[in-house]
Amino acid sequence: MKQISSDVAIIGGGLIGAAAAISLSDLGVNVVIIEKKSNFSNLKNYDDKRTIAISEGTKKFLSKINVWEDLGLYSQPIKKIKIIDRNFTNMLDFDNSRRDSNLGYILKNQILINKLYKKLIKKKNIKIINNDQVYNIEHNSENIITLSNKHKIQSKLLIAADGKNSPTRSMLKTTYFKKNYNKKAFVINITHTANHNAVAYEFFNKFGPLAILPMKKETNNYSSSIVWTNDTEYLEELSKKADTNIINVLEKHTSGVIGNIKTINSKNLFPITAHINSKFYERRLIYIGDSAHSIHPIAGQGWNLGMRDVNSLLKVSKKHLNLGLNLGSNNFCKEYHEDTFYDAYRLYQVTDKLDNIFLNSNKITTIIRSLGFDFLKNNKNFKNFISDFAMGVSS
């Protein structure tokens, strides 16, 4: 077993783990990434058809750590968002013209991970270990020790970025609350006939929301990604049908806003669950991203919430390093928790309650929703507050 010493070790080399490593390396911190998959050892073999919604706040952070740079060439800006409750008589429009910026950006996962790893590979103070799995975590008086199949890694701080079903969380028996919505999301990348004009749509229907997210053109065809939440059994049956049948169903639910659907480029089903850890730290360890929390996709903010964790990690790390303090102390871990937990808990609750409100079709709730839409249409300040909250920027 090879022994390694580092300031920080990160379990999980996905988007959040990679962003955290880059952020810390820019502070002069030595980082080791342990990734159980082998995908990242050869990015040419990494094939991920999913897209990611990047908020304006996340874009600013990626710019701060010099990752955004040429990503703008591959990302599709969202200039407007239209929210429709059952039909177009109940519709809200959001834009960000007052700030002269976009509401967000849609980017392919594969492009972002490639960009992150190109930057990681150039960093002399980052070591990447692929195809290796952690099986135990120990402590001595000054360090946390991560034991994997091939390595023994000693560090001051361990960061768990190993996803929603975090093995680290199970290993350390960190308690968490989980909610299963007993639904799935059908994620379909399509080409279509009408120009989306950089507008995103979210239709709130009886069985769940259907979002249409604008994408960059594919071989000169207009492209979008559809994220449709519905009953598990219904979506599983639909996903098995021929593309022509799926297109016919989708066209009925997209109300012609993107014209006719030409092709389906990819399709995936994901279960809808949410969770939040009781705390985001243990002894010399912190949880970031999905290992700490996951939320209902109704607002498309899950990954952006994880990036806010990375931003908080960077802020707390800078403070402690400037004071000459080690990363990973009990004060460090508690401060990170206090800086991130309320933000995550609030968004966990907001998305859960929104799902309940929009699913409810009884007459009183429908009237209340309609009144709420009318209130927002006529209250610019409150509407601006909601768009700022979604973008992760300050008013």
Side-chain angles (χ1 to χ4, degrees):
M1 181 179 287
K2 188 175 180 182
Q3 297 198 29
I4 299 173
S5 289
S6 184
D7 298 319
V8 176
I10 299 175
I11 303 174
L15 293 172
I16 294 293
I22 290 169
S23 302
L24 292 171
S25 73
D26 288 342
L27 300 179
V29 174
N30 292 315
V31 182
V32 174
I33 298 174
I34 312 118
E35 168 55 49
K36 69 178 180 180
K37 296 178 183 176
S38 57
N39 301 40
F40 304 127
S41 58
N42 186 353
L43 288 173
K44 289 179 181 177
N45 295 330
Y46 181 79
D47 185 26
D48 190 342
K49 302 294 185 187
R50 292 174 298 170
T51 58
I52 195 162
I54 297 176
S55 70
E56 186 67 24
T58 296
K59 180 223 168 184
K60 288 180 178 178
F61 179 72
L62 291 173
S63 297
K64 183 166 72 175
I65 63 171
N66 300 312
V67 168
W68 185 255
E69 296 173 30
D70 60 348
L71 283 179
L73 298 172
Y74 303 99
S75 63
Q76 171 60 54
I78 300 174
K79 297 187 181 299
K80 286 186 178 182
I81 297 175
K82 293 181 183 288
I83 296 175
I84 300 103
D85 180 23
R86 303 309 194 263
N87 58 65
F88 281 90
T89 58
N90 244 10
M91 184 172 77
L92 280 174
D93 281 297
F94 290 92
D95 64 35
N96 201 24
S97 53
R98 80 190 197 282
R99 289 184 180 273
D100 194 28
S101 66
N102 300 306
L103 287 167
Y105 306 83
I106 302 298
L107 181 67
K108 288 184 177 178
N109 280 21
Q110 188 168 1
I111 292 171
L112 182 53
I113 198 74
N114 269 277
K115 174 72 174 176
L116 288 168
Y117 266 77
K118 281 179 182 176
K119 195 167 186 68
L120 283 173
I121 290 163
K122 292 177 183 177
K123 296 279 190 179
K124 293 181 180 178
N125 55 343
I126 296 178
K127 181 177 178 60
I128 305 166
I129 300 169
N130 288 298
N131 203 23
D132 197 7
Q133 190 155 0
V134 174
Y135 68 85
N136 199 15
I137 293 166
E138 299 175 351
H139 297 83
N140 60 29
S141 58
E142 295 294 327
N143 300 288
I144 186 165
I145 299 160
T146 308
L147 299 169
S148 70
N149 294 334
K150 302 173 185 176
H151 298 86
K152 180 179 180 181
I153 302 158
Q154 183 172 276
S155 60
K156 297 295 180 187
L157 172 68
L158 179 60
I159 298 173
D162 50 351
K164 187 183 281 194
N165 300 311
S166 170
T168 306
R169 187 176 61 227
S170 299
M171 217 177 295
L172 297 178
K173 296 181 171 56
T174 304
T175 57
Y176 67 103
F177 175 79
K178 181 177 179 179
K179 180 166 184 177
N180 189 339
Y181 290 91
N182 298 312
K183 294 194 173 190
K184 284 194 172 181
F186 198 12
V187 182
I188 315 121
N189 290 348
I190 60 169
T191 61
H192 47 87
T193 57
N195 189 341
H196 51 54
N197 294 310
V199 178
Y201 293 86
E202 184 137 26
F203 293 89
F204 286 99
N205 302 311
K206 183 178 179 181
F207 297 106
L210 183 149
I212 307 173
L213 307 173
M215 293 172 62
K216 280 283 188 185
K217 275 188 170 184
E218 292 273 349
T219 58
N220 291 320
N221 286 304
Y222 297 115
S223 299
S224 293
S225 182
I226 291 176
V227 183
W228 187 12
T229 301
N230 209 316
D231 289 335
T232 296
E233 188 177 341
Y234 173 75
L235 288 182
E236 285 178 346
E237 285 301 313
L238 180 62
S239 68
K240 295 171 188 173
K241 295 184 183 296
D243 284 359
T244 49
N245 297 112
I246 296 173
I247 287 170
N248 288 337
V249 172
L250 289 176
E251 286 185 340
K252 290 175 184 176
H253 287 84
T254 53
S255 303
V257 296
I258 50 173
N260 296 319
I261 297 171
K262 295 169 71 174
T263 62
I264 292 176
N265 294 339
S266 68
K267 52 189 177 183
N268 292 283
L269 277 174
F270 300 98
I272 303 294
T273 62
H275 84 279
I276 187 162
N277 294 7
S278 59
K279 58 180 180 176
F280 292 174
Y281 73 101
E282 294 288 353
R283 183 182 169 192
R284 288 200 172 274
L285 177 142
I286 62 168
Y287 294 98
I288 63 173
D290 282 354
S291 69
H293 47 69
S294 60
I295 60 175
H296 193 288
I298 193 169
Q301 290 299 308
W303 186 74
N304 294 295
L305 183 59
M307 286 301 294
R308 300 210 295 250
D309 293 345
V310 178
N311 194 16
S312 292
L313 168 64
L314 181 60
K315 182 176 71 175
V316 176
S317 298
K318 273 183 182 177
K319 176 184 172 182
H320 280 251
L321 290 171
N322 287 338
L323 292 170
L325 303 172
N326 285 330
L327 305 186
S329 68
N330 202 40
N331 285 338
F332 175 92
C333 294
K334 280 186 175 179
E335 190 171 337
Y336 164 79
H337 165 85
E338 288 165 2
D339 205 49
T340 54
F341 183 83
Y342 173 70
D343 191 25
Y345 180 77
R346 177 178 59 169
L347 205 49
Y348 177 92
Q349 292 290 348
V350 166
T351 52
D352 181 62
K353 299 304 177 285
L354 278 174
D355 179 61
N356 283 332
I357 290 166
F358 279 104
L359 281 180
N360 200 319
S361 294
N362 73 51
K363 194 169 183 179
I364 293 173
T365 307
T366 301
I367 291 169
I368 291 170
R369 280 202 312 267
S370 181
L371 291 171
F373 269 56
D374 288 340
F375 170 77
L376 287 173
K377 285 176 191 175
N378 298 310
N379 193 315
K380 197 171 183 180
N381 289 337
F382 201 75
K383 195 174 167 185
N384 288 342
F385 170 79
I386 290 174
S387 63
D388 285 347
F389 179 76
M391 289 187 297
V393 297
S394 302
S395 298

